[in-house]
PDB file of all heavy atoms in Angstrom:
ATOM      1  N   ASP A1419      66.051  26.303 -54.129  1.00  0.00           N
ATOM      2  CA  ASP A1419      64.667  26.345 -53.686  1.00  0.00           C
ATOM      3  C   ASP A1419      64.439  27.214 -52.498  1.00  0.00           C
ATOM      4  O   ASP A1419      63.429  27.986 -52.417  1.00  0.00           O
ATOM      5  CB  ASP A1419      64.175  24.885 -53.262  1.00  0.00           C
ATOM      6  CG  ASP A1419      63.959  24.022 -54.585  1.00  0.00           C
ATOM      7  OD1 ASP A1419      63.925  24.604 -55.666  1.00  0.00           O
ATOM      8  OD2 ASP A1419      63.782  22.810 -54.436  1.00  0.00           O
ATOM      9  N   GLN A1420      65.369  27.135 -51.584  1.00  0.00           N
ATOM     10  CA  GLN A1420      65.219  27.983 -50.320  1.00  0.00           C
ATOM     11  C   GLN A1420      65.389  29.424 -50.637  1.00  0.00           C
ATOM     12  O   GLN A1420      64.648  30.251 -50.026  1.00  0.00           O
ATOM     13  CB  GLN A1420      66.371  27.485 -49.379  1.00  0.00           C
ATOM     14  CG  GLN A1420      66.041  26.194 -48.643  1.00  0.00           C
ATOM     15  CD  GLN A1420      67.179  25.797 -47.732  1.00  0.00           C
ATOM     16  OE1 GLN A1420      67.951  26.607 -47.218  1.00  0.00           O
ATOM     17  NE2 GLN A1420      67.239  24.479 -47.525  1.00  0.00           N
ATOM     18  N   ILE A1421      66.272  29.692 -51.668  1.00  0.00           N
ATOM     19  CA  ILE A1421      66.385  31.154 -52.049  1.00  0.00           C
ATOM     20  C   ILE A1421      64.986  31.664 -52.605  1.00  0.00           C
ATOM     21  O   ILE A1421      64.609  32.729 -52.242  1.00  0.00           O
ATOM     22  CB  ILE A1421      67.503  31.329 -53.101  1.00  0.00           C
ATOM     23  CG1 ILE A1421      68.830  31.059 -52.425  1.00  0.00           C
ATOM     24  CG2 ILE A1421      67.466  32.762 -53.650  1.00  0.00           C
ATOM     25  CD1 ILE A1421      70.020  30.886 -53.459  1.00  0.00           C
ATOM     26  N   LYS A1422      64.458  30.796 -53.444  1.00  0.00           N
ATOM     27  CA  LYS A1422      63.176  31.260 -54.062  1.00  0.00           C
ATOM     28  C   LYS A1422      62.138  31.358 -52.995  1.00  0.00           C
ATOM     29  O   LYS A1422      61.261  32.331 -53.076  1.00  0.00           O
ATOM     30  CB  LYS A1422      62.733  30.162 -55.025  1.00  0.00           C
ATOM     31  CG  LYS A1422      63.481  30.280 -56.373  1.00  0.00           C
ATOM     32  CD  LYS A1422      63.036  29.192 -57.368  1.00  0.00           C
ATOM     33  CE  LYS A1422      63.921  29.341 -58.593  1.00  0.00           C
ATOM     34  NZ  LYS A1422      63.900  28.135 -59.312  1.00  0.00           N
ATOM     35  N   LEU A1423      62.122  30.523 -51.987  1.00  0.00           N
ATOM     36  CA  LEU A1423      61.114  30.610 -50.912  1.00  0.00           C
ATOM     37  C   LEU A1423      61.381  31.923 -50.141  1.00  0.00           C
ATOM     38  O   LEU A1423      60.357  32.677 -49.911  1.00  0.00           O
ATOM     39  CB  LEU A1423      61.310  29.511 -49.987  1.00  0.00           C
ATOM     40  CG  LEU A1423      60.441  29.464 -48.776  1.00  0.00           C
ATOM     41  CD1 LEU A1423      59.000  29.192 -49.029  1.00  0.00           C
ATOM     42  CD2 LEU A1423      60.879  28.522 -47.695  1.00  0.00           C
ATOM     43  N   ALA A1424      62.678  32.238 -49.781  1.00  0.00           N
ATOM     44  CA  ALA A1424      62.884  33.476 -48.988  1.00  0.00           C
ATOM     45  C   ALA A1424      62.469  34.658 -49.824  1.00  0.00           C
ATOM     46  O   ALA A1424      61.940  35.649 -49.306  1.00  0.00           O
ATOM     47  CB  ALA A1424      64.372  33.491 -48.695  1.00  0.00           C
ATOM     48  N   HIS A1425      62.712  34.593 -51.119  1.00  0.00           N
ATOM     49  CA  HIS A1425      62.364  35.688 -52.069  1.00  0.00           C
ATOM     50  C   HIS A1425      60.871  35.897 -52.026  1.00  0.00           C
ATOM     51  O   HIS A1425      60.401  37.056 -52.074  1.00  0.00           O
ATOM     52  CB  HIS A1425      62.922  35.430 -53.399  1.00  0.00           C
ATOM     53  CG  HIS A1425      62.795  36.524 -54.448  1.00  0.00           C
ATOM     54  ND1 HIS A1425      63.562  37.611 -54.353  1.00  0.00           N
ATOM     55  CD2 HIS A1425      61.894  36.683 -55.432  1.00  0.00           C
ATOM     56  CE1 HIS A1425      63.157  38.506 -55.297  1.00  0.00           C
ATOM     57  NE2 HIS A1425      62.123  37.911 -55.915  1.00  0.00           N
ATOM     58  N   ALA A1426      60.156  34.788 -52.193  1.00  0.00           N
ATOM     59  CA  ALA A1426      58.690  34.863 -52.198  1.00  0.00           C
ATOM     60  C   ALA A1426      58.147  35.495 -50.883  1.00  0.00           C
ATOM     61  O   ALA A1426      57.163  36.295 -50.898  1.00  0.00           O
ATOM     62  CB  ALA A1426      58.045  33.541 -52.425  1.00  0.00           C
ATOM     63  N   GLN A1427      58.813  34.999 -49.834  1.00  0.00           N
ATOM     64  CA  GLN A1427      58.238  35.560 -48.507  1.00  0.00           C
ATOM     65  C   GLN A1427      58.587  37.097 -48.377  1.00  0.00           C
ATOM     66  O   GLN A1427      57.731  37.783 -47.900  1.00  0.00           O
ATOM     67  CB  GLN A1427      59.013  34.788 -47.355  1.00  0.00           C
ATOM     68  CG  GLN A1427      58.458  33.407 -47.172  1.00  0.00           C
ATOM     69  CD  GLN A1427      59.401  32.568 -46.237  1.00  0.00           C
ATOM     70  OE1 GLN A1427      60.574  32.812 -46.171  1.00  0.00           O
ATOM     71  NE2 GLN A1427      58.828  31.546 -45.589  1.00  0.00           N
ATOM     72  N   ARG A1428      59.732  37.419 -48.966  1.00  0.00           N
ATOM     73  CA  ARG A1428      60.144  38.881 -48.814  1.00  0.00           C
ATOM     74  C   ARG A1428      59.128  39.719 -49.761  1.00  0.00           C
ATOM     75  O   ARG A1428      58.680  40.766 -49.326  1.00  0.00           O
ATOM     76  CB  ARG A1428      61.535  39.068 -49.337  1.00  0.00           C
ATOM     77  CG  ARG A1428      62.089  40.437 -49.042  1.00  0.00           C
ATOM     78  CD  ARG A1428      63.629  40.444 -49.107  1.00  0.00           C
ATOM     79  NE  ARG A1428      64.119  40.165 -50.380  1.00  0.00           N
ATOM     80  CZ  ARG A1428      64.308  41.046 -51.378  1.00  0.00           C
ATOM     81  NH1 ARG A1428      63.970  42.350 -51.113  1.00  0.00           N
ATOM     82  NH2 ARG A1428      64.783  40.780 -52.562  1.00  0.00           N
ATOM     83  N   LYS A1429      58.772  39.148 -50.836  1.00  0.00           N
ATOM     84  CA  LYS A1429      57.940  39.874 -51.738  1.00  0.00           C
ATOM     85  C   LYS A1429      56.539  40.031 -51.099  1.00  0.00           C
ATOM     86  O   LYS A1429      55.938  41.077 -51.102  1.00  0.00           O
ATOM     87  CB  LYS A1429      57.728  39.023 -53.042  1.00  0.00           C
ATOM     88  CG  LYS A1429      58.672  39.707 -54.119  1.00  0.00           C
ATOM     89  CD  LYS A1429      58.695  38.840 -55.404  1.00  0.00           C
ATOM     90  CE  LYS A1429      57.417  38.796 -56.192  1.00  0.00           C
ATOM     91  NZ  LYS A1429      57.509  37.845 -57.292  1.00  0.00           N
ATOM     92  N   LYS A1430      56.163  38.970 -50.425  1.00  0.00           N
ATOM     93  CA  LYS A1430      54.895  39.019 -49.671  1.00  0.00           C
ATOM     94  C   LYS A1430      54.959  40.101 -48.602  1.00  0.00           C
ATOM     95  O   LYS A1430      53.971  40.899 -48.414  1.00  0.00           O
ATOM     96  CB  LYS A1430      54.513  37.617 -49.015  1.00  0.00           C
ATOM     97  CG  LYS A1430      53.161  37.599 -48.420  1.00  0.00           C
ATOM     98  CD  LYS A1430      52.792  36.257 -47.920  1.00  0.00           C
ATOM     99  CE  LYS A1430      51.463  36.218 -47.236  1.00  0.00           C
ATOM    100  NZ  LYS A1430      51.207  34.967 -46.561  1.00  0.00           N
ATOM    101  N   GLY A1431      55.999  40.109 -47.905  1.00  0.00           N
ATOM    102  CA  GLY A1431      56.255  41.152 -46.827  1.00  0.00           C
ATOM    103  C   GLY A1431      56.107  42.534 -47.414  1.00  0.00           C
ATOM    104  O   GLY A1431      55.535  43.430 -46.865  1.00  0.00           O
ATOM    105  N   LEU A1432      56.773  42.683 -48.619  1.00  0.00           N
ATOM    106  CA  LEU A1432      56.776  44.116 -49.259  1.00  0.00           C
ATOM    107  C   LEU A1432      55.314  44.425 -49.619  1.00  0.00           C
ATOM    108  O   LEU A1432      54.918  45.592 -49.457  1.00  0.00           O
ATOM    109  CB  LEU A1432      57.693  44.127 -50.428  1.00  0.00           C
ATOM    110  CG  LEU A1432      59.213  44.100 -49.975  1.00  0.00           C
ATOM    111  CD1 LEU A1432      60.092  43.842 -51.275  1.00  0.00           C
ATOM    112  CD2 LEU A1432      59.628  45.362 -49.377  1.00  0.00           C
ATOM    113  N   ARG A1433      54.612  43.470 -50.049  1.00  0.00           N
ATOM    114  CA  ARG A1433      53.229  43.742 -50.578  1.00  0.00           C
ATOM    115  C   ARG A1433      52.398  44.185 -49.400  1.00  0.00           C
ATOM    116  O   ARG A1433      51.637  45.078 -49.384  1.00  0.00           O
ATOM    117  CB  ARG A1433      52.712  42.448 -51.211  1.00  0.00           C
ATOM    118  CG  ARG A1433      51.650  42.693 -52.210  1.00  0.00           C
ATOM    119  CD  ARG A1433      51.218  41.440 -52.987  1.00  0.00           C
ATOM    120  NE  ARG A1433      50.852  40.377 -52.135  1.00  0.00           N
ATOM    121  CZ  ARG A1433      51.469  39.198 -52.085  1.00  0.00           C
ATOM    122  NH1 ARG A1433      52.504  38.909 -52.891  1.00  0.00           N
ATOM    123  NH2 ARG A1433      51.041  38.134 -51.327  1.00  0.00           N
ATOM    124  N   LEU A1434      52.616  43.381 -48.217  1.00  0.00           N
ATOM    125  CA  LEU A1434      51.777  43.768 -47.063  1.00  0.00           C
ATOM    126  C   LEU A1434      52.184  45.156 -46.522  1.00  0.00           C
ATOM    127  O   LEU A1434      51.248  45.947 -46.145  1.00  0.00           O
ATOM    128  CB  LEU A1434      52.101  42.723 -45.979  1.00  0.00           C
ATOM    129  CG  LEU A1434      51.501  41.311 -46.208  1.00  0.00           C
ATOM    130  CD1 LEU A1434      51.991  40.337 -45.147  1.00  0.00           C
ATOM    131  CD2 LEU A1434      50.001  41.373 -46.074  1.00  0.00           C
ATOM    132  N   LEU A1435      53.422  45.509 -46.700  1.00  0.00           N
ATOM    133  CA  LEU A1435      53.882  46.781 -46.254  1.00  0.00           C
ATOM    134  C   LEU A1435      53.209  47.882 -47.038  1.00  0.00           C
ATOM    135  O   LEU A1435      52.831  48.924 -46.603  1.00  0.00           O
ATOM    136  CB  LEU A1435      55.373  46.968 -46.469  1.00  0.00           C
ATOM    137  CG  LEU A1435      56.275  46.888 -45.183  1.00  0.00           C
ATOM    138  CD1 LEU A1435      57.718  46.910 -45.560  1.00  0.00           C
ATOM    139  CD2 LEU A1435      55.909  48.053 -44.233  1.00  0.00           C
TER     140      LEU A1435
END
Side-chain angles (χ1 to χ4, degrees):
Chain A
D1419 284 350
Q1420 284 177 24
I1421 293 167
K1422 280 179 185 159
L1423 174 74
H1425 186 75
Q1427 287 168 333
R1428 191 161 66 85
K1429 262 173 66 182
K1430 186 177 177 185
L1432 287 169
R1433 206 173 53 241
L1434 290 171
L1435 252 176

